[in-house]
Amino acid sequence: MFHVKKNNVYLGLIIGLFFPLFGFSLVYGIFDLMVSSGMMDEAATGLRSQRMRTMTLIGICTNIYWIRKLNQPYTGQSLRGVVIGTMLLSLGWFILYYSELYATDY
């Protein structure tokens, strides 16, 4: 039978890449529920919109839970995988939204 070692960089990388997608989906659902109930104004939800940028960043921040949970003895390799996944997603977020973050036209 296939056995997964719990202190594994690849397991941490899977966690570090999967849970931000789950967190993004959760935040997107909450925002959609708030818009449909009238608690929040409807806004553009394109890839370059400010709301999408915020939801994506909140999704990436869900890895904070795993970083805190895996910051204990004998889980260093899994922690390393989660941090690598978080850094890759953060770099992608920064590259995607660089022009909006550092727009020089006022």
Side-chain angles (χ1 to χ4, degrees):
M1 177 129 286
F2 183 69
H3 178 69
V4 176
K5 186 178 167 187
K6 293 185 182 196
N7 188 21
N8 188 339
V9 173
Y10 299 113
L11 177 64
L13 193 58
I14 290 169
I15 290 171
L17 294 174
F18 171 75
F19 276 93
L21 295 175
F22 176 73
F24 172 80
S25 300
L26 186 67
V27 171
Y28 188 84
I30 290 170
F31 275 36
D32 193 38
L33 183 66
M34 291 174 69
V35 167
S36 66
S37 69
M39 295 174 63
M40 184 184 286
D41 291 335
E42 190 169 346
T45 56
L47 184 62
R48 297 283 190 179
S49 71
Q50 185 174 1
R51 184 170 290 177
M52 188 63 72
R53 185 174 70 208
T54 303
M55 289 188 296
T56 306
L57 188 59
I58 292 171
I60 293 170
C61 288
T62 58
N63 275 348
I64 292 172
Y65 169 78
W66 291 106
I67 291 170
R68 295 277 298 159
K69 183 169 177 59
L70 293 172
N71 192 16
Q72 11 181 327
Y74 309 111
T75 58
Q77 295 301 316
S78 295
L79 175 63
R80 182 172 291 158
V82 171
V83 170
I84 290 169
T86 304
M87 289 289 101
L88 289 174
L89 290 173
S90 299
L91 182 65
W93 180 88
F94 186 75
I95 290 169
L96 184 64
Y97 295 111
Y98 180 82
S99 61
E100 285 87 7
L101 293 171
Y102 295 103
T104 57
D105 54 326
Y106 292 72

